Amino acid sequence: MKKAFCLLLIVALALLFGNHQLLAYDVKVHKRITEETIKQNADRVNEYLKNLGLNDGADEFILGKKIIDLIKDGSYDEDYNWNLLNNPLYSHFYNPLTNKSGVGDIWFSAYDWANASINPWSWKTARNKLYEGLTLTIKTEREKALADSFSTLGHMIHLVEDMAVPAHVRGDLHIPFLDPEPYESYTNKWINNLNYTLVPFSYWNSSISPYAPKQFWDLESYNGSIPYGSGYIGLAEYTNANFASSDTIFSETLLSVDPLYFPFPRKQSSILYEEINPLTNKKTKYFKIIKESENIDHFAVAGRFYDIFEGWSNLQRSFISLDDKCHYDYAQKLIPRAVGYSAGLLNYFFRGKMDMIPDNAAGSGYVIENKTDEDMEGTFELWYDDTNDNRKMMWSGYLSIVPNGKSSNITFTK
């Protein structure tokens, strides 16, 4: 009953606050992460765009905006698309241990929202709009479709970036003004001092699918039974396994049915030590994670009454919190991952390189070269522009081309 009441209160407050950004990275931080993602991944993105005839790459103007700005604006707009189906209070959350949002589970999780057929900014929409942007007959309609594709891609990047916020992968809902989310407040305040250096996401799923590639959210390699070690892991898994939100610090002592229960990081993986501020000579006790998870010097801070409740773990939890030193250490690891996984999503979207060349072996016709390390199979199309910039199909056929291989012979009427 208490949970239901809280959710009703949250919905009521959401209506009161209108489009106020309630959770996760502030929209300005989202735009900055997205900008860094594109800039630090510029070579690959620009190469792909130039292959599409967009010769200025991410700086190409479409309908008066650069492509980089269309993507950035999409990552900004995702927090303002409020309706009964997409409520950022819920559909920007994803708990990798349950594959649900973790709050208001009647709504979409972040990953499910990325796939939802009713989502006008879904992964499938981004792909379909890109196809339309290359094949619609009229030039102005192609430009509109391309702009929509890049903007929608920004929406997708936003949903990935949210997975680098502990509260968003642990179902820890906070209300602005009344109970703001402290990590979000910290990153918003220090937006120009954060570390945006990309940590590469090395895993690559070569399967081509109309659905959002799940590996960026969740590779299903962490289920809470053992601590995070090494290997491939989705961003939601990485954040869930290694960091705590303000209400889920050392929550392994809670009952497993408690929505704030998470098995890791555990208190037994930490040491408690004192740190002295040389300016004030004030002592502060911090928990440092030293095993099982990411090593974090300032994982959490013990309050002044913490020692009084020795032996009462759940009471002690009430006197453990996060301060700016904790948020700094968190951001040093989470922001670069947000950039890296977002770059991985961009690379997954902007992939595929091919060329059509004369078939010298046959002496006539053409072959299509697959210049990638993955199989290409499906319908290939050849289009041309007439003197009025109207685009028309010249040839279409189903082909299967092995990695770095060539197709069978192709002939068509010029």
Side-chain angles (χ1 to χ4, degrees):
M1 187 66 186
K2 182 179 179 182
K3 182 75 171 180
F5 172 76
C6 289
L7 290 178
L8 287 173
L9 175 62
I10 289 164
V11 171
L13 288 169
L15 294 174
L16 286 173
F17 296 142
N19 281 346
H20 184 84
Q21 212 287 356
L22 293 181
L23 282 164
Y25 293 118
D26 184 91
V27 287
K28 297 189 295 294
V29 180
H30 271 293
K31 290 187 75 170
R32 179 64 181 275
I33 293 174
T34 303
E35 180 179 33
E36 293 293 335
T37 296
I38 299 170
K39 286 183 175 180
Q40 294 183 50
N41 204 35
D43 289 346
R44 188 181 184 100
V45 171
N46 288 337
E47 179 186 24
Y48 185 91
L49 292 173
K50 289 176 182 179
N51 285 337
L52 297 181
L54 303 168
N55 295 326
D56 289 328
D59 289 327
E60 180 90 8
F61 280 90
I62 299 178
L63 299 182
K65 277 189 176 183
K66 291 183 177 181
I67 291 174
I68 187 174
D69 292 325
L70 288 168
I71 298 174
K72 285 166 54 180
D73 289 349
S75 72
Y76 177 98
D77 291 340
E78 176 61 26
D79 265 332
Y80 291 96
N81 295 317
W82 285 71
N83 54 56
L84 290 176
L85 298 174
N86 176 34
N87 185 336
L89 275 171
Y90 309 105
S91 58
H92 290 190
F93 285 71
Y94 177 80
N95 180 348
L97 300 182
T98 64
N99 294 317
K100 296 180 179 180
S101 73
V103 292
D105 285 341
I106 59 173
W107 272 272
F108 295 98
S109 71
Y111 174 69
D112 289 336
W113 180 240
N115 284 315
S117 59
I118 57 175
N119 179 4
W121 305 280
S122 69
W123 176 261
K124 187 174 182 179
T125 298
R127 288 171 57 84
N128 288 345
K129 289 295 181 181
L130 180 62
Y131 176 76
E132 291 178 2
L134 299 175
T135 61
L136 287 175
T137 301
I138 301 172
K139 183 178 181 180
T140 55
E141 293 179 356
R142 293 198 302 271
E143 290 178 341
K144 175 63 167 60
L146 281 177
D148 289 343
S149 175
F150 298 134
S151 176
T152 302
L153 185 56
H155 285 258
M156 290 293 99
I157 289 174
H158 180 115
L159 295 177
V160 171
E161 291 168 352
D162 274 350
M163 301 301 96
V165 179
H168 270 248
V169 299
R170 289 178 160 239
D172 193 356
L173 192 61
H174 289 253
I175 302 300
F177 311 120
L178 299 179
D179 182 25
E181 209 290 307
Y183 176 72
E184 182 272 334
S185 299
Y186 174 85
T187 54
N188 182 37
K189 179 180 178 181
W190 298 104
I191 181 173
N192 294 322
N193 300 94
L194 300 175
N195 174 21
Y196 296 95
T197 304
L198 181 153
V199 171
F201 176 74
S202 58
Y203 182 76
W204 194 261
N205 184 343
S206 62
S207 62
I208 301 174
S209 167
Y211 305 107
K214 193 174 184 180
Q215 69 259 28
F216 302 105
W217 284 265
D218 183 2
L219 264 168
E220 299 185 357
S221 58
Y222 170 72
N223 60 14
S225 61
I226 59 174
Y228 162 69
S230 60
Y232 301 125
I233 193 168
L235 185 53
E237 293 173 291
Y238 171 77
T239 306
N240 182 289
N242 292 289
F243 303 89
S245 60
S246 58
D247 291 339
T248 64
I249 305 168
F250 298 138
S251 60
E252 76 276 7
T253 60
L254 301 177
L255 295 175
S256 60
V257 295
D258 192 310
L260 296 180
Y261 163 82
F262 291 94
F264 299 100
R266 299 185 292 184
K267 190 176 178 182
Q268 69 184 56
S269 305
S270 70
I271 59 171
L272 185 61
Y273 71 100
E274 282 190 339
E275 191 170 283
I276 300 175
N277 186 325
L279 298 178
T280 63
N281 206 35
K282 180 182 177 182
K283 296 179 180 179
T284 304
K285 288 185 175 182
Y286 286 100
F287 291 93
K288 177 179 181 178
I289 297 293
I290 59 172
K291 61 180 180 178
E292 295 185 332
S293 304
E294 283 274 26
N295 293 332
I296 303 174
D297 289 338
H298 304 93
F299 178 78
V301 58
R304 66 174 64 184
F305 299 116
Y306 172 82
D307 291 332
I308 296 176
F309 296 99
E310 185 69 34
W312 300 80
S313 57
N314 285 335
L315 279 175
Q316 278 190 315
R317 285 190 65 252
S318 301
F319 300 98
I320 305 175
S321 60
L322 304 172
D323 66 7
D324 278 0
K325 283 195 172 183
C326 301
H327 296 140
Y328 173 83
D329 283 6
Y330 281 27
Q332 285 292 104
K333 294 179 180 291
L334 288 168
I335 296 290
R337 289 270 182 161
V339 177
Y341 279 70
S342 297
L345 186 75
L346 274 179
N347 289 342
Y348 190 85
F349 188 82
F350 291 127
R351 79 189 203 280
K353 185 178 181 182
M354 67 187 78
D355 196 6
M356 177 178 279
I357 61 173
D359 188 350
N360 294 326
S364 63
Y366 297 84
V367 292
I368 296 176
E369 288 186 312
N370 175 4
K371 295 186 174 183
T372 72
D373 295 326
E374 59 181 288
D375 291 312
M376 285 187 177
E377 183 176 1
T379 301
F380 289 73
E381 298 173 350
L382 178 63
W383 297 72
Y384 74 97
D385 292 340
D386 65 17
T387 55
N388 295 316
D389 278 332
N390 292 323
R391 190 154 291 178
K392 299 178 180 179
M393 184 185 294
M394 178 180 290
W395 172 87
S396 174
Y398 189 90
L399 297 171
S400 178
I401 314 176
V402 299
N404 299 300
K406 297 178 181 178
S407 72
S408 57
N409 184 271
I410 298 168
T411 59
F412 53 87
T413 303
K414 295 183 180 180

